[in-house]
Amino acid sequence: MCGIIGAIAQRNVVPILLQGLQRLEYRGYDSAGLVVVENNELQRIRSTGRVAELTTRSAATSGHIGIAHTRWATHGVPSERNAHPHLSSNLIAVVHNGIIENYEELRTRLTAQGSVFTSDTDSEVIAHLINSYYARGNSLLVATQAALAELVGAYAIGVVAADNPSQLICARKGSPLLLGVGIDEHFIASDVSALLPVTKNVVYLEEGDVAEVSLHGYRIFDAKGQAVERPVHVSKLSNASMELGEYRHYMQKEIHEQPQALADTLEGVCNSQSLIPGIFGAEAAAAFEQVESILILACGTSHHAGLVARYWLEEIAGIPCTVEIASEYRYRVSVPNPKSLVVTISQSGETADTLAALNHAKALGHPHTLSICNVPESALVRLSKLHFLTRAGPEIGVASTKAFTTQLAALFLLTLVLAKQRGRLSAEKEQRHLHALRHLPSAVQLVLKLEPDIAQMAERFTDKRHALFLGRGLHYPIALEGALKLKEISYIHAEAYPAGELKHGPLALVDKDMPVIAVATNDALLEKLKSNLQEVRARGGELYVFADAGTRFHSSEGVHLMQMPEHAGYLSPILHTIALQLLAYYVALQKGTDVDKPRNLAKSVTVE
Ligand code: F6R
């Protein structure tokens, strides 16, 4: 989604803005632009190409204060005229992330008052609205505050004025924004990764905050206009963690980081002798005592993690669990159960639908909330009573990989803690599960060794237009996740089914041109899955079987076997998903797509 960076410094800020934009590229964008103030004039450069093109175009531009933006189109097509920053009378410039819901009404009013609109975006109204207050003699801060009071919707914004080169105003509500604190220079950004080359000291703005940022300091005002102090955090992110290193793509790097990401996520637990609810927060034990069911809310890949967890929670902990897509739950009339633990799962912690679903659950009277999230300072973590932080590190590739497997690890811990608290986990079983968790990073290493074989298998998919993924039980969500990975980065249409559903419809699609990818695990459903696969072979379908050790599958005509190193029991979904991530990655490589930034997608979906 859109990314914002802004800077005020004694040095030329254009290189800082461009480098920041480059580091925000992973969020997904279709155009980019910047504005600097120089000699009491706004100099704006915009482009529908990559940030690299904007860099070329900005070669002759310099300034000591500026704002910049990567845009992911919502209102108005991707084009230069719709790219940010938006100007009002060449006096006010604004970058915006989010959606202004009442923009039509504001646009009509402002047009009647003489504002001239030059884009189709909702964002442009913000520039004209601020200008309308600024023109009445208000300071830039007061004009911005007055304008914000009229906006309905979500925003993170940066504002500069041509006649005020010493102040940059910013604000957030519903979209993330933070301040970067340097020595006699200050910055704003959508996320900390954009600021790492200039500072690690950051201040996270709270909902409704407005800040006035200058060379030597900043002032923050809360939603009521009261001056407030917000703590300065020192980011633990290192520049190296954002670099590609020896890998071709971030997705490949992140797939390979999974042993470490899992080890980091499980660190505290695996070093201890037993599981305690405290890993989810100080109040977790008391809250877990009261809950009698689980409601999981999430989107996309994070939703798939929830679907896997349902199998674990019901089987191991004996606790009823429902899993809902956040965007459905938030608008559905549901029957709340205050004794449900509402678990939200999100890599970014800023996904608009997941945040709204959590707020909706709270409004319905759910007191127990837990978030599983990869970003410590995110809105989701702040909104939840309890939280567990996955320690996957920054995930840059749009397609989620290490965030997903660490979410699964966290959800497995939740299952074990609840099982223990409910008297369903003997000491011996607890030790067995802990042992399996300690072994997980090395089990993942073994799967990663299949990379050359999977790359070879991927070559058979180059000319395919469709694919079917099958799994059963715990691995049906893994089939869903495999299909999602393939479709989002290779653009091959992929569907996933529980294998038992095949003959209830999708079997009609199977012919020699339809590859069928099967997750074949060595568990109680193996023989049933084998029968389902026979049904595919009998119709000429090509099978690609990812089979656990001991499943006795063999390669033969029309059956391509990928022998998985072992069967990991309850943790098997984590191993199988990694194999399918590699498959999607190498198919995308074959097809030459933009693996890390697939078309139309954004990393952090901060609008509905
Ligand atoms: C797919 C993918 C998305 C995200 C979804 C939710 O690879 O990454 O489906 O999982 O947009 O994002 P988070 O987890 O940040 O809430």
Side-chain angles (χ1 to χ4, degrees), residues 299-302 346-348 351 398-400 407 484-485 488 605:
C299 302
T301 287
S302 298
S346 174
Q347 187 284 126
S348 60
T351 302
V398 162
S400 186
Q407 286 166 353
L484 179 62
K485 288 288 93 96
E488 68 182 326
V605 187

Side-chain angles (χ1 to χ4, degrees), residues 187-252:
F187 312 94
I188 65 169
S190 298
D191 71 48
V192 69
S193 61
L195 296 182
L196 286 180
V198 284
T199 185
K200 283 191 158 201
N201 299 327
V202 296
V203 177
Y204 293 93
L205 294 182
E206 302 264 329
E207 279 297 274
D209 279 357
V210 181
E212 182 189 74
V213 184
S214 57
L215 263 187
H216 306 296
Y218 56 88
R219 296 193 296 158
I220 303 176
F221 302 89
D222 67 11
K224 294 190 189 118
Q226 301 292 321
V228 282
E229 297 281 324
R230 304 279 182 227
V232 179
H233 296 262
V234 182
S235 171
K236 293 196 185 80
L237 271 188
S238 70
N239 245 333
S241 66
M242 307 290 298
E243 268 148 30
L244 204 47
E246 67 196 271
Y247 296 100
R248 254 177 104 171
H249 293 97
Y250 281 104
M251 183 175 178
Q252 188 191 25

Side-chain angles (χ1 to χ4, degrees), residues 328-523:
E328 286 296 308
Y329 173 77
R330 63 182 287 196
Y331 291 118
R332 186 171 81 77
V333 178
S334 56
V335 182
N337 175 2
K339 292 197 170 170
S340 239
L341 173 67
V342 177
V343 179
T344 46
I345 310 169
S346 174
Q347 187 284 126
S348 60
E350 300 290 349
T351 302
D353 281 319
T354 308
L355 290 172
L358 174 57
N359 281 327
H360 181 63
K362 284 169 60 170
L364 288 179
H366 282 106
H368 307 299
T369 54
L370 162 69
S371 61
I372 292 177
C373 189
N374 196 37
V375 180
E377 297 297 335
S378 61
L380 195 70
V381 170
R382 289 199 300 251
L383 278 174
S384 309
K385 280 222 172 114
L386 306 172
H387 67 261
F388 182 95
L389 295 176
T390 49
R391 292 173 59 196
E395 195 180 62
I396 308 289
V398 162
S400 186
T401 52
K402 59 179 181 169
F404 177 64
T405 47
T406 53
Q407 286 166 353
L408 289 178
L411 288 160
F412 193 64
L413 293 178
L414 178 66
T415 304
L416 297 184
V417 166
L418 288 169
K420 190 170 170 184
Q421 197 160 24
R422 296 162 74 83
R424 292 178 63 109
L425 194 70
S426 66
E428 188 236 315
K429 275 191 187 158
E430 180 179 2
Q431 289 313 313
R432 237 185 308 133
H433 288 308
L434 281 172
H435 180 268
L437 285 168
R438 284 185 198 112
H439 172 64
L440 189 58
S442 30
V444 170
Q445 290 285 14
L446 293 178
V447 178
L448 293 173
K449 290 212 164 89
L450 296 176
E451 186 168 8
D453 301 335
I454 296 177
Q456 213 175 0
M457 182 185 261
E459 287 171 19
R460 309 185 74 94
F461 285 74
T462 327
D463 58 347
K464 299 292 183 214
R465 299 191 52 221
H466 307 276
L468 207 54
F469 284 71
L470 301 178
R472 290 197 78 128
L474 202 49
H475 295 87
Y476 163 52
I478 296 307
L480 285 170
E481 176 58 11
L484 179 62
K485 288 288 93 96
L486 188 70
K487 74 181 97 166
E488 68 182 326
I489 61 167
S490 77
Y491 315 147
I492 292 177
H493 166 227
E495 302 233 25
Y497 276 93
E501 270 292 287
L502 205 53
K503 54 172 99 54
H504 299 289
L507 199 52
L509 294 172
V510 172
D511 62 13
K512 65 178 179 23
D513 294 322
M514 173 68 89
V516 177
I517 298 109
V519 182
T521 48
N522 198 356
D523 58 21

Side-chain angles (χ1 to χ4, degrees), residues 279-313:
I279 56 175
F280 295 97
E283 293 162 32
F288 291 174
E289 283 296 341
Q290 292 169 45
V291 303
E292 55 186 36
S293 63
I294 308 284
L295 169 61
I296 297 182
L297 304 170
C299 302
T301 287
S302 298
H303 172 251
H304 294 158
L307 291 176
V308 174
R310 182 160 75 104
Y311 288 88
W312 288 333
L313 284 160

